Amino acid sequence: MYTQALDSADTAAPQGDADEGGRRERFQGRIDRDEKIEPKDWMPQEYRQTLIRQIAQHAHSEIVGMLPEGNWITRAPSLRRKVVLIAKVQDEGGHGMYLYSAAETLGVSRGALIEQLLAGRAKYSSIFNYPTLTWADIGAIGWLVDGAAIMNQIPLCRCSYGPYARAMVRICKEESFHQRQGYELMLTLARGSAAQRAMAQDALNRWWWPSLMMFGPSDAHSVHTAQSLRWKIKRFSNDELRQKFIDVTVPQAQYLGLTVPDPELRWDEPAQHYRAGPIAWSEFHAVLKGDGPCNRERLAARRAAHEAGRWVREAAAAYADKHGADAVAAPSG
Amino acid sequence: MSSAIAAEYPAATAEERCEYTLRLADTSLVAGQRLAEWLGHGPALEEDLALGNIALDLIGQARLLLALAGRVEGRGRDEDALAFWRDAAQFRNVSLAEQPNGDFGRTIVRQCLLDAWQLETYESLAGSTDVELAGIAAKAAKECRYHWRYSAGWLVRLGDGTEESHRRVSEAMQDLWRFTDELLAPDALDARMAECGIAPPAAAIRERWEQRVAGALQAAKLPWPAHQHYPWHGKRGVHTEALGHLLATLQQLPRAYPGVSW
């Protein structure tokens, strides 16, 4: 998912003091009673750190995710599609903002998190390291990538940490709107000319497997799932969510008249599930490590924007110093 | 220019109305396309969102105006036919709108000069004898008020920020000022539209534009630039080199796959 790297990294050992045991027990009790944990409440250090990393990865994913779709804004094939795409990319920037704000409630600044991203020390979803080569990729991202994101994020609306859960409620509403827009775009192509259908099929071919990888490593190899489930940061395992996504998405592909690029895909009648073939985990780990098709370009674009904007941010700060932070710079009118 | 006295004005031909509407439509479309290039690359997240908002407003205005121009023209062309299937020489935007973004300061200078003109123009057009145009203009004027607050606000912060920011916007202002005369100097069509009660008289727009821009320049500690003579004629279809590249990107997909819907 947007936070898939959590499952393959390790955390520092917990630190304890005399009261730690009792506090931890009371904390877990609150979680077990489905109470929300709020910023000023006591929380174990590892809970705080796990959340910071998860929310930051999610925020970074939104920001980096603006790039592959932004790649087609100037080339959208109708004015309606153009405004829909601009609004979507803008929503992603907005999601990044709420999420950075949610992370700030845990005591880390947006600036510090962005520095980590630009330094290559923070992760973001592997999916945004794939290129958008045709217009159909914009449909495929909405349909598959946002579809996969929703599978993961709906349960996060019930996450034990209040500010994150509340941010997710709004984000999920917008994501599901994006998912429908993406599917509608795919449907238009699938019902269009032969060239448009080929474009749609090609996009599905390229985005299917990376979308399944968004859910992170299989449960057998996921190191943090159990603890995150106990803390109700996570509600379902990676494999459960991946299966849910496959079950929902395969019939959607059939409705489009497109072929899921998995020769081993079959319907398991007794279990009432679609069974997918094996995922190429070596590709997943390569992308996560920085060796995906666009890792370098994505980070370079973020760094270039940050560097090119430095003088602007400095000017805004200098102006605020001269005139007071609340000074309204606009002249009349 | 209420409808009660509309009868006192001579009637513009459909061709004149279409041509004038395209000037407004294409200016919004081209400026919106330029601003949309910023998404994901702005100096801060807030600026990405703000520039995206303004791009959305401008392209929204363009859609309404292009549809109107198509109806007035009466040849069955809709917003997309007009946006994607005309060549540069058929575009009627003012030359300022098509100028490349450059750095954030240059974009702000371009927008500031353009926003002031669009704001004054749309506010006046809200009282046009062309009721359809008046309706679109009333909505656009509200949007342009926000655009102006944003761009003028940044002009002031950059002009009165650091030495570097002052130098950058100052250079951009010196460079882009040469395109402002086209906004303000009426040609035969502008004069005809004013005569027909459709558009405001150019002199009134010039006066209000100059007053507005002078206020922003003063607050930004920038001098009023020297007058630069070169008659740009974007609104008559004679553009700078920049427009061809912008349109090559904008129009590529529908032209590569003609006759399909998207």
Side-chain angles (χ1 to χ4, degrees), chain A residues 63 66-67 72-83 86-87 89-90 93-94 96-97 100 110 135 188-189 193 195-196 199 301-302 305 309 311-316 318-319 322-323 329-333, chain B residues 29 33 36-37 39-43 45-46 48-49 52-53 56 59 63 66 79-80 83-84 103-105 145 148-149 152-154 156-158 160-162 164-165 168 212 216 249-250 253-254 257 260-262:
Chain A
I63 302 310
M66 295 169 79
L67 298 170
W72 281 89
I73 287 177
T74 57
R75 293 179 288 171
S78 73
L79 295 184
R80 180 176 80 87
R81 293 287 182 199
K82 191 187 292 289
V83 294
I86 293 172
V89 173
Q90 212 191 13
M97 278 179 42
Y100 284 126
R110 191 215 292 193
W135 172 248
T188 305
L189 295 178
S193 68
Q196 285 176 307
M199 202 185 272
R302 286 313 314 156
W311 70 272
V312 177
R313 296 188 300 273
E314 285 170 359
Y319 183 87
K322 288 185 218 177
H323 299 276
S332 63
Chain B
L29 175 60
Q33 171 82 356
E37 293 171 13
L39 239 77
H41 307 281
L45 256 177
E46 285 78 358
D48 271 353
L49 299 193
N53 262 333
L56 280 175
I59 297 170
R63 293 180 68 190
L66 286 172
E79 59 178 52
D80 285 338
F84 293 95
D103 67 15
F104 182 73
R145 224 164 283 150
W148 164 255
R149 272 177 45 196
W154 267 111
V156 172
R157 264 178 280 175
L158 297 176
D160 190 16
T162 61
E164 182 183 7
S165 68
R168 285 179 185 253
R212 187 175 281 284
T249 305
L250 179 109
L253 205 47
Y257 301 90
V260 303
S261 46
W262 297 96

Side-chain angles (χ1 to χ4, degrees), chain A residues 190-241:
Chain A
R191 291 181 176 170
S193 68
Q196 285 176 307
R197 274 195 299 284
M199 202 185 272
Q201 180 64 56
D202 168 63
L204 174 58
N205 293 348
R206 284 181 290 106
W207 290 93
W208 174 256
W209 290 107
S211 298
L212 296 190
M213 292 175 200
M214 283 177 70
F215 294 92
S218 67
D219 295 348
H221 297 97
S222 177
V223 290
H224 290 123
T225 292
Q227 180 61 74
S228 288
L229 287 170
R230 243 187 332 273
W231 276 335
K232 296 186 183 170
I233 291 174
K234 209 166 176 169
R235 295 272 181 167
F236 298 99
S237 76
N238 295 349
D239 286 337
E240 284 170 329
L241 290 167

